[in-house]
Amino acid sequence: SSSSSSSSEASSSSSTSSSSSSSSSSASSSLKSTSLSSSSSSPSLSNADIDSLDVDDMNVLDAAEANVNANANANVNMNVNEEYNLPSPNECTQIVKSLASVIPNENPTSIATSTSMGMISSNDHDHNITTESLVAPEVKVVGLKEQLKPLWLNMYPSTMTKSAFSQFFTLLTNRSDGAKSYYAIQGRMRKCLGGSQTVACENVHPTVGMAEPDGPAKFNNFFGKYILTLRNPLHAMPASVYVKAQKYHDLVGPLPEESWIGTRDAWVEKMWDEWKSTITAWHDTKYEAGMYLAYEDIFDSKKGPKTLMKLALLLQEAGFEIFALGEDEGNNGNGNGNGNGNGNGNHTSIKSNYDESLDLENLYSYSKEERIHCLWSHLEIPKGGMHDFEDWGYTPSYTEDHKVMLEKGLDQLMDEVREHELNNTWTGGLDLIDILERYRVDVS
């Protein structure tokens, strides 16, 4: 699970499909008037002429068709590159700065005492902007309103650090404390509820009742769809061992290789069962899977922006204002329901909360894909420690028997998901299978 650089290539698959369809139709029409010569001054062929062609003539016509198709494909690619020419680093910096200056419609009702979210250098070519520079404006609470329902953010222990996943929600919603832990107690906040608005609630132990409809966290307190964060078990398990050693054994520095080997040999099957139960336990609840967020995808230069877009759309469905999607995406309307009557409340116009000194018109001259790309380019890509083990001096390894066990476990899990998918009883099953198949290849 190597981390990737922040420079990315992104394009809109829907627009590409549309352009391809249009160009293909154009190429087909052009072919009907294509001459045997590639010269544009040659006479065109009628249908009767085509019917009278011999084999040699048809071979020449095939070559002409291939040339037309090649030109059509070149035009499609050119149009895509022109339409989705990604913003420059300086443009992205300005886009992110503008988006960060939008004040969210706070619940509880609040008055902003500052419209700035921290300065972002305009010459930040390397996108080395930290989430600390995107701190939400200080607010003074003046009243209480019903809050939006947060989404569960579920994962195997230590799949991703809080600093790593918090930045997704800060960038998308402009709420610096939008991501919280189910286990944290702060002021009035208990189990992610109370205090400031929670966007996502981290949970790592579904087997002790958090996901039960009548368990400690009442179903109606949370949005009906959850986010399941996944990481290849090959890397998730040593990361979990590492963090536990830090918390409970005062580990400083890398996890010694002998410590990893000893823990692995004693607990690998138990760790696999826990990793799998993170998926299956949540499936067995009243909640639905909103998306499967793969660690390997969100930090990848090609898949990352698309993954962030999917997360943005899910948060918007839950009722949160996602300013990067633009007002035309429903930010001023009602939050959507989720099939269980758990839609959230109303939104406030972006313009009414916007810093008028910034160029709103210029911001929304960029497509939502470009704006999301720019937000992604400002993520901090985790390095070292539990993220890529670069500073450990070794790569956490497994015996052949361990690999066989993991292969069989992944195969069985995929078979289970496929069976549910056939019966329409597993939301997002195909997306999950795609991720699990990639993990299976890595194990092999």
Side-chain angles (χ1 to χ4, degrees):
S1 62
S2 59
S3 56
S4 306
S5 65
S6 292
S7 62
S8 68
E9 302 174 6
S11 63
S12 169
S13 59
S14 60
S15 295
T16 303
S17 175
S18 174
S19 300
S20 299
S21 175
S22 174
S23 297
S24 175
S25 174
S26 174
S28 176
S29 299
S30 300
L31 179 59
K32 293 181 180 179
S33 61
T34 302
S35 66
L36 291 177
S37 168
S38 60
S39 170
S40 60
S41 62
S42 300
S44 61
L45 294 175
S46 66
N47 288 337
D49 292 331
I50 293 176
D51 290 339
S52 65
L53 292 174
D54 59 23
V55 174
D56 290 337
D57 291 333
M58 289 300 295
N59 289 337
V60 175
L61 187 60
D62 287 342
E65 178 182 3
N67 184 56
V68 170
N69 289 337
N71 289 334
N73 290 333
N75 289 333
V76 168
N77 292 333
M78 179 182 67
N79 292 336
V80 169
N81 289 334
E82 288 178 353
E83 185 175 357
Y84 294 105
N85 185 23
L86 297 177
S88 68
N90 280 342
E91 287 178 301
C92 271
T93 294
Q94 293 305 314
I95 289 172
V96 173
K97 179 180 179 181
S98 297
L99 289 171
S101 297
V102 181
I103 305 170
N105 180 23
E106 292 288 340
N107 286 298
T109 311
S110 56
I111 296 178
T113 58
S114 169
T115 58
S116 171
M117 292 187 73
M119 291 301 296
I120 301 175
S121 172
S122 61
N123 60 0
D124 178 32
H125 294 282
D126 297 325
H127 305 309
N128 292 325
I129 294 180
T130 65
T131 51
E132 283 74 15
S133 65
L134 300 174
V135 177
E138 295 181 2
V139 296
K140 178 181 179 181
V141 176
V142 295
L144 292 177
K145 271 189 178 180
E146 182 180 356
Q147 294 190 337
L148 302 178
K149 296 175 181 179
L151 291 84
W152 286 114
L153 179 67
N154 310 314
M155 64 186 74
Y156 176 77
S158 305
T159 292
M160 195 180 297
T161 62
K162 188 173 187 298
S163 62
F165 65 71
S166 292
Q167 58 183 329
F168 310 151
F169 304 98
T170 296
L171 286 170
L172 289 174
T173 70
N174 289 1
R175 300 174 187 275
S176 62
D177 60 347
K180 300 183 177 71
S181 170
Y182 181 84
Y183 318 99
I185 297 176
Q186 183 177 359
R188 293 184 299 148
M189 187 196 74
R190 300 289 189 280
K191 301 174 181 177
C192 293
L193 303 174
S196 61
Q197 173 69 59
T198 300
V199 180
C201 182
E202 178 198 16
N203 183 295
V204 299
H205 292 294
T207 55
V208 296
M210 279 74 158
E212 296 302 321
D214 298 321
K218 300 301 183 182
F219 176 77
N220 289 333
N221 288 336
F222 291 85
F223 189 62
K225 294 182 179 180
Y226 60 83
I227 304 163
L228 186 61
T229 304
L230 294 170
R231 187 180 185 185
N232 192 315
L234 287 177
H235 309 127
M237 292 191 289
S240 180
V241 172
Y242 170 65
V243 172
K244 287 180 179 178
Q246 288 181 316
K247 287 183 177 180
Y248 305 117
H249 302 286
D250 299 322
L251 174 68
V252 177
L255 180 71
E257 186 169 11
E258 58 272 17
S259 296
W260 159 244
I261 292 175
T263 305
R264 175 202 69 189
D265 291 346
W267 297 99
V268 67
E269 292 188 7
K270 176 66 173 177
M271 288 190 289
W272 160 253
D273 288 340
E274 290 178 350
W275 188 93
K276 177 183 176 181
S277 74
T278 304
I279 299 173
T280 57
W282 280 97
H283 171 260
D284 293 338
T285 69
K286 290 176 62 177
Y287 297 97
E288 294 182 7
M291 74 172 291
Y292 294 98
L293 195 161
Y295 179 102
E296 295 80 8
D297 292 349
I298 188 64
F299 294 119
D300 178 78
S301 60
K302 291 185 178 180
K303 296 179 180 179
K306 294 179 181 179
T307 304
L308 191 64
M309 173 66 82
K310 190 171 183 179
L311 177 60
L313 292 171
L314 177 60
L315 294 178
Q316 187 184 72
E317 179 185 349
F320 292 97
E321 293 170 299
I322 308 300
F323 307 107
L325 295 181
E327 292 189 294
D328 59 326
E329 294 297 325
N331 279 321
N332 295 323
N334 292 323
N336 294 323
N338 62 8
N340 294 319
N342 284 326
N344 283 314
N346 295 327
H347 298 287
T348 298
S349 169
I350 288 177
K351 292 183 179 178
S352 69
N353 284 335
Y354 204 83
D355 181 348
E356 294 181 359
S357 67
L358 293 168
D359 189 351
L360 180 65
E361 183 175 347
N362 180 62
L363 171 65
Y364 288 107
S365 68
Y366 295 94
S367 69
K368 61 180 179 292
E369 289 83 5
E370 291 169 326
R371 297 192 293 267
I372 289 292
H373 158 78
C374 286
L375 287 181
W376 182 88
S377 72
H378 283 71
L379 290 178
E380 293 182 61
I381 308 299
K383 291 185 178 295
M386 59 171 280
H387 299 291
D388 54 24
F389 316 112
E390 282 188 355
D391 54 352
W392 284 20
Y394 69 96
T395 299
S397 61
Y398 295 83
T399 67
E400 290 302 316
D401 288 343
H402 296 154
K403 293 178 185 178
V404 170
M405 183 272 295
L406 291 173
E407 289 171 354
K408 289 182 178 179
L410 286 166
D411 287 340
Q412 291 172 357
L413 178 56
M414 285 189 285
D415 287 343
E416 181 180 343
V417 177
R418 288 190 186 99
E419 183 176 352
H420 279 285
E421 184 68 29
L422 290 174
N423 296 321
N424 294 318
T425 55
W426 195 302
T427 307
L430 295 180
D431 291 340
L432 176 58
I433 290 172
D434 174 70
I435 296 171
L436 296 177
E437 284 180 337
R438 284 185 273 149
Y439 292 168
R440 172 66 162 77
V441 170
D442 290 343
V443 171
S444 299

